Amino acid sequence: MNSGEFRRRGKEMVDFVADYLEGIERRQVYPDVEPGYLRPLIPTTAPEEPDTFEDILNDVEKIIMPGAASPACTELETVMMDWLGKMLKLPEAFLAGQVGEGGGVIQGSASEATLVALLAARTKVVRRLQAASPGLMQGAIMEKLVAYSSDQAHSSVERAGLIGGVKLKAIPSDGKFAMRASALQEALERDKAEGLIPFFVVATLGTTSCCSFDNLLEVGPICNKEDMWLHIDAAYAGSSFICPEFRHLLNGVEFADSFNFNPHKWMLVNFDCSAMWVKKRTDLIGAFKLDPLYLKHGHQDSGLITDYRHWQLPLGRRFRSLKMWFVFRMYGVKGLQAYIRKHVRLAHEFERLVHQDPRFEVCAEVTLGLVCFRLKGSNKLNEDLLERINRAKKIHLVPCHLRDKFVLRFAICARTVEFAHVQRAWEHIRQLATDLLRAEKD
Ligand SMILES: *Cc1c(COP(=O)(O)O)cnc(C)c1O
């Protein structure tokens, strides 16, 4: 949608809302529809080609409005999470379908999804151990629980451990910044020998620092064998898995109990929209379900009939699946794939430019839209270069440490970015590097 159409559609939406408010007394307060009404009214998969805005808006009136906020809000979310799960080719077990045990839920952020997974895993292990040894106190179990992630995991994982009141240990990553079986196994054996109870592992696909990938095919089987909950954090990289050429990065997801990524990061859906799937919804519901009388509606949880309040921390929730529905239909799967591919192509163009200048080095494998690079030389030199870049305010870079190296990160992320922007940014960086190296010499 170009800005001309956006202006027109935006103004039409104001009319749509005003008409609704003017006519509100003629509408029914409580919907006639039965739970499960919505799924038969919309396709089972996202469209490959774009739909028109008119078509989508007509469907809002025809399909959503008769279902009011409830059950339409819940049911569209379940169906959209199935659409998205199919786009990623997630194993069937993660989908809700009509009667599935799994399913997806929109959380506010990847941090929240990790916390929810950790709390569910905690409850599960406590109940399992108490069932095996009646009389065992929850506190006695809790103080022995230990969770793991790689030393490259996002800080939100450590925070989930803090909030959840369990130990979290960082597993040293390998030369490509990936968590591997041997390092995890070593930590496990040591901790078990000390009487600790390993219960939860977070694997990261697409780390924040350098977009590295933990080795799921190695880590997954260990988690299954040791009865540890495996959560996958693919906050950024997850969007790319809708492209067949990147789907292999998700191989091993079949070992996971929960999987999460942020369509609001790289799939054109506005903040906030963090997509989380679980294989066994009863694991979440079991951890968070309380049913006071004022919240009783009298139906069972399975497939489409879902009570998302048991899948999350808050009670109330917004109608966040509407924006997924609009984006998937406005772009079509092909349009979203093209968007991802363009960003990855531009990242590789930038990588090629960096390689052409012998003063610079690329510091990690470029897989998606992130290029880690630096001037060959000291950390101080690169800190000075970053300072010049960010002080000039033409582009903005966020650095990271890879082991002992201070590294600059060039991230392709704007919706409208073109090669000309990348080229201009690189010329700017080169010029500032030249200025810096000259000043150093003088
Ligand atoms: C961005 C990011 C997060 C944090 O995402 P929020 O949705 O802001 O909580 C977590 N993990 C990874 C790997 C990320 O890239």
Side-chain angles (χ1 to χ4, degrees):
M1 187 181 282
N2 59 28
S3 63
E5 192 185 356
F6 181 65
R7 276 177 215 282
R8 187 158 62 82
R9 297 301 186 188
K11 287 168 188 167
E12 282 172 15
M13 280 314 297
V14 172
D15 284 337
F16 183 93
V17 173
D19 288 346
Y20 171 80
L21 291 174
E22 272 178 7
I24 200 161
E25 293 198 354
R26 290 190 296 279
R27 295 206 183 231
Q28 202 166 292
V29 172
Y30 199 83
D32 283 328
V33 300
E34 288 296 317
Y37 87 99
L38 185 136
R39 191 183 282 267
L41 301 179
I42 61 180
T44 53
T45 53
E48 286 294 311
E49 306 287 343
D51 284 342
T52 66
F53 192 78
E54 258 98 10
D55 286 342
I56 306 172
L57 214 53
N58 286 337
D59 281 349
V60 169
E61 191 54 67
K62 210 169 69 204
I63 298 171
I64 303 298
M65 297 309 271
S70 178
C73 172
T74 297
E75 294 193 11
L76 188 66
E77 181 161 332
T78 307
V79 177
M80 284 306 103
M81 291 298 293
D82 274 2
W83 274 21
L84 184 55
K86 289 176 192 171
M87 283 158 71
L88 302 170
K89 302 221 165 10
L90 280 184
E92 193 76 25
F94 287 102
L95 306 183
Q98 306 279 4
V99 290
E101 289 178 28
V105 58
I106 305 174
Q107 305 281 1
S109 66
S111 310
E112 229 173 298
T114 303
L115 176 61
V116 163
L118 179 137
L119 295 178
R122 195 185 73 179
T123 301
K124 195 175 180 180
V125 67
V126 167
R127 291 200 184 142
R128 189 177 73 224
L129 295 176
Q130 284 181 326
S133 324
L136 196 55
M137 299 302 286
Q138 175 165 345
I141 299 172
M142 287 268 295
E143 65 182 20
K144 290 191 178 147
L145 292 181
V146 54
Y148 305 91
S149 68
S150 106
D151 57 11
Q152 302 295 309
H154 191 266
S155 58
S156 55
V157 177
E158 189 178 345
R159 237 168 134 236
L162 278 178
I163 298 171
V166 295
K167 285 180 248 334
L168 181 99
K169 298 203 175 176
I171 304 297
S173 54
D174 73 358
K176 292 178 111 184
F177 307 102
M179 176 161 61
R180 304 291 301 273
S182 51
L184 176 63
Q185 194 75 53
E186 206 174 292
L188 272 178
E189 297 309 327
R190 197 175 48 234
D191 288 345
K192 283 197 293 187
E194 285 177 17
L196 297 179
I197 306 167
F199 80 109
F200 185 67
V201 174
V202 178
T204 310
L205 298 181
T207 57
T208 311
S209 302
C210 69
C211 200
S212 59
F213 292 78
D214 287 341
N215 192 324
L216 268 190
L217 291 169
E218 289 185 4
V219 166
I222 296 178
C223 296
N224 288 183
K225 186 168 144 274
E226 302 280 341
D227 238 333
M228 298 188 291
W229 182 298
L230 174 60
H231 176 71
I232 299 177
D233 173 10
Y236 159 72
S239 298
S240 73
F241 305 153
I242 64 168
C243 299
E245 68 272 33
F246 300 122
R247 173 58 178 76
H248 68 95
L249 296 167
L250 185 58
N251 287 352
V253 67
E254 57 276 12
F255 298 111
D257 297 279
S258 51
F259 168 75
N260 171 254
F261 84 101
N262 287 352
H264 71 231
K265 270 190 172 157
W266 201 16
M267 209 184 245
L268 293 158
V269 180
N270 282 341
F271 192 82
D272 52 344
C273 180
S274 188
M276 179 188 195
W277 289 264
V278 289
K279 259 192 204 151
K280 283 208 164 50
R281 58 175 65 197
T282 45
D283 288 341
L284 290 188
I285 296 165
F288 305 132
K289 187 166 185 168
L290 288 177
D291 257 331
L293 186 59
Y294 50 84
L295 295 175
K296 276 206 197 307
H297 317 301
H299 55 247
Q300 295 300 312
D301 236 285
S302 88
L304 258 190
I305 309 201
T306 292
D307 227 337
Y308 278 128
R309 68 192 152 103
H310 304 308
W311 298 50
Q312 61 175 17
L313 302 183
L315 170 63
R317 47 206 335 270
R318 295 185 293 116
F319 205 151
R320 289 183 288 209
S321 57
L322 268 182
K323 61 193 177 191
M324 295 170 88
W325 200 36
F326 272 70
V327 168
F328 297 163
R329 296 183 63 183
M330 292 292 293
Y331 283 84
V333 175
K334 286 186 180 165
L336 294 170
Q337 289 171 333
Y339 175 72
I340 299 282
R341 286 176 179 141
K342 180 178 181 184
H343 280 193
V344 177
R345 197 170 61 243
L346 290 176
H348 283 297
E349 294 282 0
F350 185 83
E351 179 189 21
R352 188 176 53 81
L353 292 170
V354 176
H355 278 307
Q356 281 172 5
D357 188 328
R359 298 173 301 172
F360 286 89
E361 60 185 345
V362 172
C363 309
E365 189 175 340
V366 178
T367 310
L368 300 175
L370 177 69
V371 183
C372 291
F373 71 107
R374 70 198 297 279
L375 274 170
K376 292 171 186 163
S378 68
N379 283 349
K380 172 74 171 55
L381 186 68
N382 282 284
E383 284 163 22
D384 288 348
L385 176 60
L386 181 74
E387 148 81 15
R388 283 178 185 241
I389 291 170
N390 285 340
R391 201 167 27 154
K393 299 193 171 117
K394 286 194 161 71
I395 61 172
H396 183 70
L397 300 189
V398 177
C400 74
H401 276 111
L402 290 179
R403 307 280 179 247
D404 50 357
K405 276 189 178 170
F406 184 88
V407 169
L408 281 56
R409 296 163 64 261
F410 190 88
I412 306 279
C413 48
R415 185 175 59 89
T416 52
V417 65
E418 297 293 344
F419 180 57
H421 301 117
V422 172
Q423 217 167 9
R424 212 182 306 156
W426 176 240
E427 282 313 316
H428 177 58
I429 293 169
R430 270 169 50 107
Q431 184 60 51
L432 293 174
T434 300
D435 296 348
L436 172 64
L437 292 169
R438 190 176 302 132
E440 294 267 304
K441 234 197 227 146
D442 291 346

